[in-house]
Amino acid sequence: MKMKIKDHWDRLSPATQRWLTNNPGCLILPRTMTEEICRETGVRVDCDEHGQAMLSQEDLDFIQAKAEETQTAPPEHRFFDATQPGENT
């Protein structure tokens, strides 16, 4: 069976979701991640001889979109007036 991350996203733990969004260019899921996803979703997927699962282009696009959603904007730089110790005398 092919993996469909989008269909099972809400069943994945926050840690698994975070791993996927932190590694959006991963084409082949490592064995440990494949096992974790199967355990969390209850779905068995096609694996290679090493226990790794290949992600479809649909999965890659979905994960990349989720990764972009989770990126935060760079902090806004603010400048404050400040005095050095002893300058208020």
Side-chain angles (χ1 to χ4, degrees):
M1 170 183 226
K2 291 277 187 188
M3 176 67 64
K4 290 192 177 182
I5 298 291
K6 181 179 182 177
D7 294 344
H8 302 286
W9 185 255
D10 293 332
R11 296 172 68 189
L12 298 176
S13 69
T16 300
Q17 291 177 354
R18 190 172 34 259
W19 189 93
L20 291 168
T21 57
N22 286 343
N23 299 280
C26 184
L27 301 175
I28 300 174
L29 292 175
R31 181 188 78 244
T32 53
M33 190 52 52
T34 301
E35 290 171 356
E36 188 67 21
I37 289 172
C38 290
R39 186 184 64 74
E40 291 175 0
T41 63
V43 175
R44 291 281 137 210
V45 297
D46 295 334
C47 297
D48 64 13
E49 64 273 8
H50 304 290
Q52 300 171 322
M54 182 166 235
L55 293 173
S56 68
Q57 186 61 49
E58 180 183 0
D59 285 335
L60 292 170
D61 293 342
F62 176 78
I63 293 167
Q64 288 172 351
K66 284 292 187 183
E68 289 173 8
E69 285 177 16
T70 61
Q71 289 179 349
T72 57
E76 180 181 322
H77 293 286
R78 291 185 166 186
F79 296 95
F80 296 95
D81 288 334
T83 58
Q84 294 297 318
E87 286 185 12
N88 288 340
T89 58

